[in-house]
PDB file of all heavy atoms in Angstrom:
ATOM      1  N   VAL A  67      10.391  -6.864   5.801  1.00 84.00           N
ATOM      2  CA  VAL A  67      10.780  -7.124   7.223  1.00 84.00           C
ATOM      3  C   VAL A  67      12.279  -7.233   7.327  1.00 84.00           C
ATOM      4  O   VAL A  67      12.733  -8.236   6.771  1.00 84.00           O
ATOM      5  CB  VAL A  67       9.841  -8.095   7.948  1.00 84.00           C
ATOM      6  CG1 VAL A  67      10.346  -8.348   9.325  1.00 84.00           C
ATOM      7  CG2 VAL A  67       8.353  -7.934   7.775  1.00 84.00           C
ATOM      8  N   THR A  68      12.920  -6.394   8.024  1.00 84.00           N
ATOM      9  CA  THR A  68      14.361  -6.464   8.146  1.00 84.00           C
ATOM     10  C   THR A  68      14.808  -6.900   9.620  1.00 84.00           C
ATOM     11  O   THR A  68      15.985  -7.109   9.887  1.00 84.00           O
ATOM     12  CB  THR A  68      15.102  -5.165   7.795  1.00 84.00           C
ATOM     13  OG1 THR A  68      14.510  -4.149   8.592  1.00 84.00           O
ATOM     14  CG2 THR A  68      14.715  -4.831   6.337  1.00 84.00           C
ATOM     15  N   GLY A  69      13.775  -6.974  10.477  1.00 83.00           N
ATOM     16  CA  GLY A  69      14.193  -7.338  11.756  1.00 83.00           C
ATOM     17  C   GLY A  69      12.923  -7.798  12.635  1.00 83.00           C
ATOM     18  O   GLY A  69      11.836  -7.280  12.269  1.00 83.00           O
ATOM     19  N   VAL A  70      12.981  -8.737  13.416  1.00 85.00           N
ATOM     20  CA  VAL A  70      11.952  -9.067  14.362  1.00 85.00           C
ATOM     21  C   VAL A  70      12.451  -9.173  15.738  1.00 85.00           C
ATOM     22  O   VAL A  70      13.609  -9.764  16.120  1.00 85.00           O
ATOM     23  CB  VAL A  70      11.414 -10.490  14.040  1.00 85.00           C
ATOM     24  CG1 VAL A  70      10.274 -10.911  14.942  1.00 85.00           C
ATOM     25  CG2 VAL A  70      10.863 -10.582  12.501  1.00 85.00           C
ATOM     26  N   TYR A  71      11.805  -8.516  16.614  1.00 86.00           N
ATOM     27  CA  TYR A  71      12.107  -8.617  18.088  1.00 86.00           C
ATOM     28  C   TYR A  71      10.867  -9.075  18.873  1.00 86.00           C
ATOM     29  O   TYR A  71       9.954  -8.435  18.685  1.00 86.00           O
ATOM     30  CB  TYR A  71      12.621  -7.168  18.566  1.00 86.00           C
ATOM     31  CG  TYR A  71      12.940  -7.173  20.066  1.00 86.00           C
ATOM     32  CD1 TYR A  71      14.012  -7.784  20.634  1.00 86.00           C
ATOM     33  CD2 TYR A  71      12.156  -6.507  20.923  1.00 86.00           C
ATOM     34  CE1 TYR A  71      14.296  -7.708  21.995  1.00 86.00           C
ATOM     35  CE2 TYR A  71      12.338  -6.374  22.322  1.00 86.00           C
ATOM     36  CZ  TYR A  71      13.453  -6.943  22.791  1.00 86.00           C
ATOM     37  OH  TYR A  71      13.786  -6.936  24.137  1.00 86.00           O
ATOM     38  N   VAL A  72      11.057 -10.046  19.728  1.00 86.00           N
ATOM     39  CA  VAL A  72      10.024 -10.393  20.659  1.00 86.00           C
ATOM     40  C   VAL A  72      10.250 -10.132  22.047  1.00 86.00           C
ATOM     41  O   VAL A  72      11.124 -10.575  22.690  1.00 86.00           O
ATOM     42  CB  VAL A  72       9.877 -12.007  20.493  1.00 86.00           C
ATOM     43  CG1 VAL A  72       8.747 -12.430  21.335  1.00 86.00           C
ATOM     44  CG2 VAL A  72       9.782 -12.427  19.067  1.00 86.00           C
ATOM     45  N   PRO A  73       9.605  -8.972  22.572  1.00 84.00           N
ATOM     46  CA  PRO A  73       9.693  -8.602  23.893  1.00 84.00           C
ATOM     47  C   PRO A  73       9.195  -9.640  24.829  1.00 84.00           C
ATOM     48  O   PRO A  73       8.243 -10.253  24.483  1.00 84.00           O
ATOM     49  CB  PRO A  73       8.985  -7.249  24.048  1.00 84.00           C
ATOM     50  CG  PRO A  73       8.019  -7.261  22.891  1.00 84.00           C
ATOM     51  CD  PRO A  73       8.531  -8.121  21.789  1.00 84.00           C
ATOM     52  N   GLY A  74       9.846  -9.701  25.985  1.00 77.00           N
ATOM     53  CA  GLY A  74       9.302 -10.783  26.968  1.00 77.00           C
ATOM     54  C   GLY A  74       7.901 -10.299  27.465  1.00 77.00           C
ATOM     55  O   GLY A  74       7.371  -9.375  27.024  1.00 77.00           O
ATOM     56  N   PRO A  75       7.314 -11.011  28.397  1.00 78.00           N
ATOM     57  CA  PRO A  75       8.049 -12.222  29.040  1.00 78.00           C
ATOM     58  C   PRO A  75       7.666 -13.532  28.186  1.00 78.00           C
ATOM     59  O   PRO A  75       6.831 -13.497  27.483  1.00 78.00           O
ATOM     60  CB  PRO A  75       7.201 -12.271  30.426  1.00 78.00           C
ATOM     61  CG  PRO A  75       5.860 -11.721  30.159  1.00 78.00           C
ATOM     62  CD  PRO A  75       6.095 -10.640  29.077  1.00 78.00           C
ATOM     63  N   GLY A  76       8.497 -14.459  28.442  1.00 81.00           N
ATOM     64  CA  GLY A  76       8.187 -15.794  27.906  1.00 81.00           C
ATOM     65  C   GLY A  76       8.902 -15.895  26.476  1.00 81.00           C
ATOM     66  O   GLY A  76       9.076 -14.894  25.785  1.00 81.00           O
ATOM     67  N   ALA A  77       9.358 -17.031  26.236  1.00 84.00           N
ATOM     68  CA  ALA A  77      10.059 -17.387  24.972  1.00 84.00           C
ATOM     69  C   ALA A  77       9.051 -17.688  23.916  1.00 84.00           C
ATOM     70  O   ALA A  77       7.872 -17.988  24.165  1.00 84.00           O
ATOM     71  CB  ALA A  77      10.924 -18.683  25.236  1.00 84.00           C
ATOM     72  N   ILE A  78       9.445 -17.603  22.684  1.00 86.00           N
ATOM     73  CA  ILE A  78       8.494 -17.930  21.556  1.00 86.00           C
ATOM     74  C   ILE A  78       9.038 -19.242  20.986  1.00 86.00           C
ATOM     75  O   ILE A  78      10.146 -19.475  20.718  1.00 86.00           O
ATOM     76  CB  ILE A  78       8.567 -16.682  20.389  1.00 86.00           C
ATOM     77  CG1 ILE A  78       7.526 -16.978  19.380  1.00 86.00           C
ATOM     78  CG2 ILE A  78       9.993 -16.543  19.889  1.00 86.00           C
ATOM     79  CD1 ILE A  78       7.360 -15.786  18.478  1.00 86.00           C
TER      80      ILE A  78
END
Side-chain angles (χ1 to χ4, degrees):
V67 175
T68 60
V70 177
Y71 175 72
V72 182
I78 186 168

